Amino acid sequence: MAANPPGQGFQNKNRAAILAELDKEKRRLIQSQSMNNPGASIPLSRAAVNKEFRDQAEQQHIAAQQKAALQHAHAHSSGFFITQDSSFGNLILPVLPRLDPE
């Protein structure tokens, strides 16, 4: 077995003191936050927050894609198009006008 270096005991005590101080500061911040914001005492899970953020980013991305597809279709076609959710994944759908029978 190797002997411990002479300064290791001091380093362990120092590390423990730092960790204890960090834990105390963490508890103080949590307590002050819950007193300032009573509704914030129920923490949201990170997974729920991340999922919400990801869903919002995905919605914005889809909206941007729909807008780009709609602009491209209007610029390069003489037809009419609308943005609508499609069960087949289409971003825009063509609209066919109804003609009155003669």
Side-chain angles (χ1 to χ4, degrees), residues 26-45:
K26 179 181 171 185
R27 288 180 186 180
R28 186 186 64 78
L29 287 172
I30 290 173
Q31 184 180 14
S32 68
Q33 183 182 15
S34 66
M35 290 188 133
N36 290 340
N37 228 351
S41 61
I42 304 170
L44 294 175
S45 70

Side-chain angles (χ1 to χ4, degrees), residues 40-70:
S41 61
I42 304 170
L44 294 175
S45 70
R46 285 188 181 254
V49 171
N50 288 341
K51 184 180 183 308
E52 181 179 325
F53 178 74
R54 190 172 44 248
D55 289 347
Q56 183 181 9
E58 186 178 330
Q59 289 285 340
Q60 289 175 348
H61 181 66
I62 290 173
Q65 284 181 325
Q66 282 180 332
K67 183 177 178 182
L70 188 62

Side-chain angles (χ1 to χ4, degrees), residues 3-40:
N4 290 337
Q8 188 172 4
F10 176 72
Q11 288 176 346
N12 286 339
K13 287 181 184 179
N14 193 16
R15 184 177 296 136
I18 291 171
L19 289 174
E21 183 66 30
L22 286 173
D23 189 46
K24 187 191 307 184
E25 183 70 15
K26 179 181 171 185
R27 288 180 186 180
R28 186 186 64 78
L29 287 172
I30 290 173
Q31 184 180 14
S32 68
Q33 183 182 15
S34 66
M35 290 188 133
N36 290 340
N37 228 351

Side-chain angles (χ1 to χ4, degrees), residues 63-80:
Q65 284 181 325
Q66 282 180 332
K67 183 177 178 182
L70 188 62
Q71 288 175 346
H72 180 75
H74 282 274
H76 294 84
S77 175
S78 60
F80 296 100

